[in-house]
Every structure is written in C-alpha cells, then in structure tokens.
Amino acid sequence: MRSRIECLCLPLALLAASTAHAQTSTAPAADVVEPAALAAMDKMSAKLITLPAFALKADVTTEQVLDTGQKLQYGGTVDIRAHRPDAFKISAVSDIQHRDYYFGGGKFTILAPRLNYYASVPATGSIGQALDKLKTGYGIELPLADLFTWGTDQSLRMRIKSGYLIRPEKIDSRTCTHYAFRQEQVDWQIWIDDSDQLPCKLVITDTTDPSMPQYAAVLHWDLQTQPSAADLAFAPPADAHQIMLVDLAKGDKK
C-alpha cells in the first residue's frame, strides 16, 4: 500500500501542472475595458429586455468563509418566474435555508416556508425600481437580480473597471463565450450563449474578503413558459405568521 505522502504527490503534481498552464494566460491591463466585452454585454442586455416573460432555473454554489479562513461550499437552486414589467417569483432553496420572494400587485413579499413566516412591504413601479427600493430601504438583495436590471441601469455599466474576452467554452451542451470583468469590491465572470445571447453561467467573487469567496450559478432558460402576473401572485400559506420588515431609512418597522 502506498504511503499517505505518496498518495498526495500525484494530485499535488497535477495541481502544479494545472496552475502552471493557467498562468500562461494573460489579461489586459487593470484599467482596460475591451469594446468587444462591453458589446457582448449590450447584446445580452438587449436580449433580456425583449423577454416579456420567462422561467429560469439555476444551479448555484455558495462559499462560506469560517473565522479560521477555511472555506465551506454549499449547493442549491434558484427558480425564477418573471412577467415584465412588474411581477416575479424567485425561489432560493438550499440545505441551509429556503426563501421565496414575490413582487406584484403593488407589494413585495418574502416567505420562509420552513419557518412558516412571511413579511410584505409596499413596492410599486417596474421590477428594477422595486429591486432598488428593497436594497436601499431594507438591505435585501435578491439572487440573480442583475438579470432584471442589465440594460436598464446604466450605472452598472459605468462601474466596470476592466473587462475582456477569454474564449468560447462548453456549458452543458451550449457553446458560450467567457468574459471576465472587474469593478470595485467584486470580480465577476459571465458566459454568454453564442446562439441566443442569453447568459449561461455567472461567477461572482467578493474581493473585499481576503479569502475571496465566490458565488456561482449555471443558468437553464425556459422561454416556452410564459407566466402571467396573476400566476406569480402571493397567497399566504395556511397558518403562516406575518412579521414586519425594518425600514432602514426610517429605523422603524413597517
């Protein structure tokens, strides 16, 4: 039987070879934004805006960093059903927690099915306007929310410090072109389907943390499903308990 040290040698050698190969890739200067990278994002944004309604399932991976610096990785799913311009349901499920988010009919609701609690606050306007209010007013950031705001919020584009094309790659059976971007406090990568210009995969890296934890999502689109606003309306489950959300701007409960 080989010793433990001998068993470790092979994976370490493979890792070293892989790292050496990866280091042969070069990136543009830190402040360069390639026009082709921005053009690809603009095409993707234009495609997303044309979708009146859609369903999407994402397989997601989230990293948690312990006080020791060790990383833990968790898997889950995010299911999105959206009806533009003013309704969605997002269901985020993992072994750690389950949250459902509803927007429509002039309000936003968050439901914790395992705890049987929910909270609602007024929210009007478009999906993008509602997402902005939730972030600034209540500190709530929804998973994959940028899918709703690309192309409508020009400030997102202006935050990009660098961006460049990497290469075409396979995501499942799709050929998707890989791009990398940097902005303050976050690095992110996106793979865009060459055939329909929809995003195939996202990887977001938190650069404010020395351990640089990542959030990754592989996206599976269903453009045949066309949910209506009524399909996405919230109905409280039996015996569910309503709680209140804190309005950060006012410092009181609403």
Side-chain angles (χ1 to χ4, degrees), residues 142-214:
L142 302 191
L144 303 178
D146 286 347
L147 295 176
F148 297 109
T149 53
W150 273 111
T152 60
D153 184 355
Q154 290 302 312
S155 67
L156 294 175
R157 202 173 190 271
M158 295 174 62
R159 293 175 200 152
I160 295 174
K161 303 299 183 181
S162 75
Y164 56 96
L165 181 153
I166 299 177
R167 60 178 172 267
E169 299 171 10
K170 284 287 187 180
I171 305 294
D172 299 326
S173 61
R174 298 166 288 175
T175 300
C176 308
T177 301
H178 184 182
Y179 299 89
F181 295 88
R182 308 198 85 173
Q183 60 189 69
E184 293 293 335
Q185 302 185 340
V186 68
D187 289 350
W188 51 279
Q189 302 168 68
I190 188 165
W191 289 253
I192 301 176
D193 195 317
D194 291 349
S195 62
D196 60 18
Q197 304 305 310
L198 290 173
C200 308
K201 179 180 177 180
L202 293 166
V203 174
I204 301 171
T205 304
D206 178 3
T207 57
T208 64
D209 187 323
S211 298
M212 302 184 76
Q214 291 187 325

Side-chain angles (χ1 to χ4, degrees), residues 17-89:
S18 175
T19 302
H21 176 73
Q23 288 175 342
T24 61
S25 299
T26 58
D31 58 350
V32 171
V33 181
E34 293 181 353
L38 279 185
M41 292 300 299
D42 290 341
K43 287 181 181 179
M44 184 197 76
S45 301
K47 176 66 176 184
L48 290 172
I49 291 172
T50 65
L51 301 178
F54 63 86
L56 165 69
K57 182 173 182 178
D59 298 313
V60 303
T61 302
T62 304
E63 290 184 343
Q64 178 187 13
V65 183
L66 303 182
D67 292 340
T68 60
Q70 184 179 16
K71 288 185 181 181
L72 302 181
Q73 195 173 88
Y74 300 97
T77 60
V78 174
D79 285 283
I80 298 177
R81 291 177 178 262
H83 174 84
R84 290 184 185 275
D86 56 5
F88 64 68
K89 176 187 176 183

Side-chain angles (χ1 to χ4, degrees), residues 121-124 128-140 247:
V121 294
T124 58
Q129 290 169 329
L131 292 173
D132 183 63
K133 179 179 179 180
L134 292 171
K135 182 177 179 179
T136 58
Y138 299 94
I140 297 174
D247 187 330

